[in-house]
Amino acid sequence: MRNRILALAALGVALGSPIAVQAQTGITVGRAPVVVDSGPTIAVEQRPAFRDYVVEQRVPAFSIPDRVVVGATLPETGVTYYDVPQRFGATTYRYTVVNGETVLVEPRSRRIVEVMD
């Protein structure tokens, strides 16, 4: 009986740990949608033109050791953020290139709000 109680307690801890870690980091693993802010982003029909624009601008890429995911916070130094031209829609976000991926970033918090695919 004692072993069964210990086994159930260990199982409860094992199952609860990933949930607690996920709640603390605020980052969801997998393809679940994450909404960081509700500000306007680049319209779906404008995204191919925006990707072409970023390539034409030859924006230097910044590298981070982590995966590039919505909700991640970029470092305070070493990253340059660029204004999104008005022709792609009015937005308060800035863009940059991280690990080869164009991302929209909330400039004050440095949080990634969208990874352009």
Side-chain angles (χ1 to χ4, degrees):
M1 182 71 177
R2 182 172 166 230
N3 289 340
R4 180 177 262 177
I5 292 171
L6 288 174
L8 287 174
L11 180 63
V13 169
L15 292 175
S17 295
I19 295 169
V21 170
Q22 181 179 0
Q24 290 174 358
T25 62
I27 298 173
T28 303
V29 177
R31 289 282 184 187
V34 178
V35 177
V36 174
D37 197 344
S38 60
T41 63
I42 297 170
V44 174
E45 61 273 3
Q46 290 282 346
R47 291 178 186 184
F50 180 70
R51 283 191 295 275
D52 292 342
Y53 169 81
V54 173
V55 170
E56 290 169 6
Q57 297 302 306
R58 298 179 189 229
V59 173
F62 179 76
S63 295
I64 60 173
D66 301 322
R67 285 185 26 202
V68 178
V69 294
V70 171
T73 302
L74 297 177
E76 286 187 47
T77 59
V79 181
T80 303
Y81 303 103
Y82 304 92
D83 292 332
V84 175
Q86 285 292 319
R87 67 181 175 189
F88 298 112
T91 181
T92 58
Y93 300 130
R94 305 291 184 265
Y95 77 92
T96 193
V97 178
V98 181
N99 294 354
E101 297 188 61
T102 302
V103 296
L104 292 181
V105 179
E106 199 290 312
R108 281 180 257 132
S109 66
R110 303 177 327 277
R111 297 197 86 177
I112 296 173
V113 295
E114 188 166 352
V115 178
M116 306 300 285
D117 44 359

